[in-house]
Amino acid sequence: MPGTRDRRTRHRSAPRRSLRFSFVLPFVVPAACLTGLWGYTAAGLVDEQIQLQADADHDSSVARPAQAVLSALQNERRLTAVWQASRSGTARTDLDAARRKTDTIRAAYLGSPGRDTPALQRRAKSLDDALGALSDRRDAVDGRTLSAADAFQYFTDTIAQGVSLVTAAVRSDDGSLAHGGAATTSLLQITEMLSRQDALLAGVLPSGRMPAATRARFAQYLALQREFAASLTTRDLPAGAGAVYARITGGGQWTTLAGVGDSVTGAKDTALPPDASSWPDAADGVLGELRSLGGDSVQGLADDASDRADGLLLGMLLGTAATLAALAGGAVLALRARRSTLGRLSELQSHTEEISRTLPQLLTRIEQGERLAPGTLAPQGQHTTDELERLAGAIDRLGRMAADAALRQSRGREGTEKVFAQLIRRTQILIHRLISLLDDLERKHEDSDLLKDIFKVDHLATRVRRHAENLVILSGSPPSRRMTTPLSVTDVMRSAVAETEQYTRVKVKNLPADRRVALAGRAVADVTHLLAELIENGTSFSPPDTQVSVSATKVAKGLAIHVEDHGLGMPPEKIASANELLAQPPKLDMTSLGEDPRLGHFVVARLAERHKIKVELRESVYGGTLVVVLLPSALLEEYESPVIDQLRSAAAASGHALGAESRQSALGGGERTPAGAVGMAGGAAVPGGADGVVVTHTRLPDHSGFPEYGGAGLLPPVSEHPVPPPGPAPWSATREAPAPGGHAAPRLSVPGAPPGRAVPSAGHAGPRAGHA
């Protein structure tokens, strides 16, 4: 209404933004950059978090149980040395208690998970194997078959395997955790060296004397202990363990151990120094604190790694939330731009869908032959304001151009087809006139040399007619030659041979005497054409000294005609491609036939499709190609053999021949008709006996019992067979004249065909062995 403006209508002075600026810049570009940046950062955080969590699992599930096993083995080693030295009941009681504790801790260790790396698995296996021999070593100690030195060495080696496992478990790629793991390993080594000194000294205290070898080992372990203590960085110990270590090493017990160690290593003889008796109490206190500190240090490493992994996870979640918030802000901006263009996009979509529905309908109408005026799709107005309106205009122009182009192409194709069909029809008319003229010449002249040349020209004209009919078939026009009466399959095969160039090389096998089949008249011309194409293709692509055989066999689904040559054959892929074309012939298009157009198979496929005939190419067992043509039962008609009828008619006619002659004389006198001819005439009625019965027979010829067809006429050359008696025969060549190869030219007389003419046929053979 006046004064009212659509709220979606924008003021002319308002600047219009492009769709790229409205959508890509405010949202897509920042979102892509932010998402990519945060994705890269988050991936690194996730990897680091996973690694830290794995380090925490290794510390808590591998290093901590292994460290507990080390402490138990160290204690059992010392008590074993004490029992082996004193053999007292108290020492035995303490040793049994230590063994039970070791077994409990070992069972917990063996059931712990986390050995998920090759290094951990390898070192854990070494420790497990050493612990597996613990029971045997204990039995040897109890049976007094294992010396104190060997028992000490076994426990020392087993503990060394445990230290190696703990070292591998606390190793990390993270800097701070790596330093903490190194400090913890040094602490374990200090504890182990002190424990070895304690075991050696506990074994000699009951006797009060230390052999020189034992003193040397004691001095070696003391030096290693002090070396590990010097390399230890106490600030790297986790969870405040550095302060605890400083307190332990600064206490009186540590000082006592240091003094006793110096006294033992500095002694000149095997006697122990007087202050050696203070070693056990001080060693128990210091070793207990160091073992506890080692366990706390390992657990501190696991806690630090777990805390840092949780912190990384929290940071990743917060960063993801911030990224999503930024993306949400960009989405809000994009939604605002979307609201301003939603209505226009809906209109454009509706218009596009209308064109998409209308254009296929127009193309369908054009393909159906309906005549349409140019400009069927009307323009929708001016589209020059912004990108959306220009897009709508482009869609309108595209639809109109597509419709107009299809219409122009259809009219051009229609005109081309009309000109093409008219030229073909005119050519066919001339060819038919030429063949008729040749027929007249054949009947008028009896000079054998002249007839031979006329037959050659006639044969060439017949082949030209077939090639012209190929064009009719390809154009989709109905055939120009038709028949209404059925024809025997043998005659159809012979007529197809007669339309090929090298007909003398073709051998047609007659149907068995009990299989007399005729082809329906509506399919005679097309089937003859189809077979002629396949036969000529076989002769064209096989050696000239070979034959092409044509035979027919009655099968359950109809009649199978075999065309077999002895050429080089076709590659399997070519056979498959040809069979696909024969089974499903496409619409005539040069692109669908390939870069090198081969129209022969296309012609055969069109003819086969017209009558639902199946054609299939196969590899012949003799070399070459075998074509199977299956004629459906709907195209076949079986008929009775006329041989018996002909014999009966001849017998009846022989008794009334004089009567027939007298009647002909009474009617004015005419040429006498031989009785055999009357009896053998197709469809003729002959007077019977006295009872007036008339014997009739079918008008279809019967070729059973006659020689096989050699490719020219119905009989082999005259030199191979005796001359038949004079008189017309029910099947004969209208005129025999020498043809190339010593055979008579193919002139087949059949019902429904003009005198002296071969039965109508179809077109040219399709591609065989890669040739057209």
Side-chain angles (χ1 to χ4, degrees):
M1 48 186 302
T4 302
R5 180 171 59 90
D6 188 356
R7 61 180 179 179
R8 293 179 296 180
T9 304
R10 305 185 60 177
H11 196 271
R12 293 181 180 179
S13 61
R16 291 186 179 271
R17 294 182 178 181
S18 66
L19 291 177
R20 179 175 299 176
F21 180 81
S22 300
F23 291 99
V24 175
L25 293 182
F27 178 68
V28 176
V29 173
C33 294
L34 183 59
T35 302
L37 179 61
W38 176 244
Y40 179 79
T41 304
L45 294 177
V46 169
D47 291 341
E48 187 175 357
Q49 190 268 342
I50 293 174
Q51 184 61 43
L52 289 174
Q53 191 62 48
D55 293 340
D57 293 340
H58 294 162
D59 294 337
S60 60
S61 61
V62 179
R64 189 72 177 88
Q67 190 271 338
V69 171
L70 298 182
S71 300
L73 290 175
Q74 290 170 355
N75 188 37
E76 184 177 348
R77 177 178 60 187
R78 182 180 65 82
L79 293 176
T80 299
V82 171
W83 181 79
Q84 286 180 321
S86 63
R87 304 291 179 177
S88 62
T90 303
R92 183 65 192 185
T93 302
D94 294 340
L95 177 60
D96 291 339
R99 287 179 175 180
R100 289 191 295 270
K101 184 178 180 180
T102 300
D103 292 339
T104 303
I105 295 175
R106 181 181 65 171
Y109 158 76
L110 294 176
S112 61
R115 307 172 188 180
D116 53 359
T117 64
L120 289 178
Q121 293 172 357
R122 184 174 60 255
R123 298 188 182 186
K125 184 178 184 302
S126 300
L127 178 58
D128 294 344
D129 294 342
L131 291 176
L134 180 59
S135 298
D136 296 337
R137 301 299 182 184
R138 287 174 177 175
D139 294 339
V141 170
D142 295 341
R144 300 183 181 185
T145 59
L146 187 68
S147 64
D150 292 339
F152 176 84
Q153 188 62 43
Y154 164 72
F155 281 105
T156 300
D157 293 342
T158 303
I159 293 171
Q161 297 293 339
V163 173
S164 177
L165 176 60
V166 173
T167 302
V170 299
R171 185 177 292 116
S172 175
D173 294 334
D174 183 77
S176 61
L177 291 178
H179 292 304
T184 301
T185 302
S186 298
L187 181 60
L188 293 178
Q189 294 285 4
I190 293 171
T191 305
E192 170 60 12
M193 295 302 107
L194 184 58
S195 176
R196 291 179 184 180
Q197 299 172 51
D198 181 43
L200 291 175
L201 195 56
V204 298
L205 277 176
S207 63
R209 307 189 69 83
M210 177 178 286
T214 304
R215 179 179 287 109
R217 297 178 70 178
F218 184 90
Q220 180 184 3
Y221 294 149
L222 178 60
L224 289 174
Q225 171 200 335
R226 291 177 178 177
E227 182 180 351
F228 285 128
S231 64
L232 175 63
T233 304
T234 56
R235 66 174 179 272
D236 291 337
L237 291 173
V244 177
Y245 177 78
R247 179 180 59 79
I248 294 172
T249 57
Q253 292 180 338
W254 184 268
T255 304
T256 300
L257 294 177
V260 173
D262 292 337
S263 300
V264 171
T265 56
K268 300 302 183 180
D269 53 12
T270 60
L272 292 174
D275 58 352
S277 59
S278 62
W279 175 274
D281 293 336
D284 287 344
V286 171
L287 286 173
E289 291 181 348
L290 287 178
R291 290 165 184 165
S292 178
L293 180 61
D296 294 340
S297 180
V298 172
Q299 187 61 42
L301 289 175
D303 294 340
D304 288 347
S306 180
D307 292 342
R308 291 184 58 187
D310 293 341
L312 289 176
L313 180 60
L314 179 60
M316 184 184 64
L317 293 177
L318 292 177
T320 302
T323 303
L324 292 177
L327 293 176
V332 171
L333 296 178
L335 287 175
R336 290 182 179 178
R338 177 179 176 273
R339 292 192 189 98
S340 64
T341 56
L342 182 60
R344 296 161 60 203
L345 286 175
S346 299
E347 294 176 359
L348 178 60
Q349 180 181 3
S350 301
H351 178 55
T352 305
E353 291 177 352
E354 182 181 357
I355 293 178
S356 66
R357 290 191 302 267
T358 305
L359 187 58
Q361 295 175 359
L362 292 177
L363 295 178
T364 302
R365 293 167 60 186
I366 290 174
E367 290 181 356
Q368 293 176 352
E370 185 176 348
R371 302 185 62 84
L372 301 177
T376 305
L377 291 178
Q380 299 296 320
Q382 299 297 327
H383 306 281
T384 57
T385 306
D386 62 357
E387 288 84 353
L388 285 179
E389 294 181 356
R390 287 196 290 271
L391 177 60
I395 293 174
D396 286 340
R397 291 192 297 273
L398 180 62
R400 294 198 307 274
M401 290 174 62
D404 292 343
L407 184 59
R408 288 193 298 270
Q409 291 180 0
S410 176
R411 291 184 176 179
R413 184 167 55 251
E414 181 181 355
T416 303
E417 291 177 354
K418 289 182 178 179
V419 173
F420 185 67
Q422 187 174 7
L423 292 176
I424 295 173
R425 295 298 184 188
R426 291 180 178 179
T427 303
Q428 283 186 309
I429 292 174
L430 295 177
I431 293 174
H432 284 306
R433 292 175 59 186
L434 175 61
I435 292 175
S436 299
L437 180 59
L438 292 172
D439 286 340
D440 293 338
L441 292 176
E442 291 171 6
R443 285 189 290 267
K444 292 178 180 178
H445 296 278
E446 296 184 359
D447 185 357
S448 59
D449 293 335
L450 179 60
L451 281 176
K452 177 179 177 181
D453 294 335
I454 292 175
F455 276 127
K456 289 182 179 180
V457 177
D458 191 3
H459 186 59
L460 291 176
T462 303
R463 293 179 58 222
V464 171
R465 179 182 63 185
R466 180 163 56 86
H467 289 304
E469 288 179 352
N470 281 351
L471 300 178
V472 175
I473 295 170
L474 293 177
S475 66
S477 301
S480 58
R481 294 185 294 159
R482 297 181 182 178
M483 294 185 65
T484 57
T485 57
L487 187 65
S488 67
V489 173
T490 301
D491 287 339
V492 171
M493 294 188 295
R494 295 179 178 181
S495 299
V497 173
E499 295 196 3
T500 60
E501 180 179 4
Q502 305 178 43
Y503 54 87
T504 58
R505 293 174 48 203
V506 183
K507 183 178 181 180
V508 179
K509 297 182 179 180
N510 295 330
L511 284 173
D514 58 342
R515 299 293 185 182
R516 300 173 182 86
V517 182
L519 184 64
R522 66 181 185 277
V524 168
D526 290 340
V527 173
T528 306
H529 196 150
L530 183 149
L531 294 177
E533 292 286 340
L534 297 176
I535 294 170
E536 184 161 0
N537 206 46
T539 58
S540 299
F541 300 104
S542 61
D545 57 343
T546 62
Q547 285 187 335
V548 176
S549 61
V550 183
S551 61
T553 304
K554 193 72 169 62
V555 294
K557 294 184 178 180
L559 185 71
I561 300 178
H562 294 173
V563 179
E564 185 175 15
D565 63 65
H566 296 167
L568 297 178
M570 298 174 61
E573 60 273 10
K574 293 288 186 180
I575 292 179
S577 176
N579 285 331
E580 182 179 0
L581 174 64
L582 293 172
Q584 297 178 351
K587 186 177 180 181
L588 180 59
D589 187 359
M590 291 300 105
T591 59
S592 65
L593 297 177
E595 297 179 358
D596 183 15
R598 308 171 191 270
L599 303 180
H601 282 167
F602 191 85
V603 172
V604 173
R606 279 288 183 87
L607 293 173
E609 182 184 27
R610 184 178 298 172
H611 299 286
K612 295 181 172 34
I613 299 173
K614 293 183 179 180
V615 182
E616 182 178 352
L617 274 65
R618 300 177 183 175
E619 182 180 0
S620 175
V621 295
Y622 303 106
T625 304
L626 170 65
V627 185
V628 180
V629 180
L630 180 60
L631 303 178
S633 300
L635 299 180
L636 304 177
E637 299 180 7
E638 293 193 3
Y639 60 93
E640 296 294 336
S641 174
V643 175
I644 297 178
D645 289 345
Q646 292 170 355
L647 294 176
R648 290 176 179 176
S649 299
S654 62
H656 299 275
L658 295 177
E661 292 177 1
S662 61
R663 284 193 294 270
Q664 290 175 358
S665 299
L667 293 175
E671 186 180 355
R672 295 181 60 186
T673 302
V678 176
M680 299 293 286
V686 182
D691 52 359
V693 177
V694 178
V695 181
T696 60
H697 62 83
T698 176
R699 58 187 175 83
L700 292 174
D702 183 13
H703 304 287
S704 59
F706 292 111
E708 291 183 350
Y709 181 60
L714 295 181
L715 289 177
V718 177
S719 60
E720 299 181 9
H721 297 280
V723 179
W731 53 276
S732 64
T734 55
R735 181 178 289 109
E736 292 185 0
H743 296 282
R747 314 294 333 141
L748 178 63
S749 295
V750 296
R757 294 295 327 131
V759 177
S761 66
H764 185 0
R768 295 280 299 277
H771 299 279

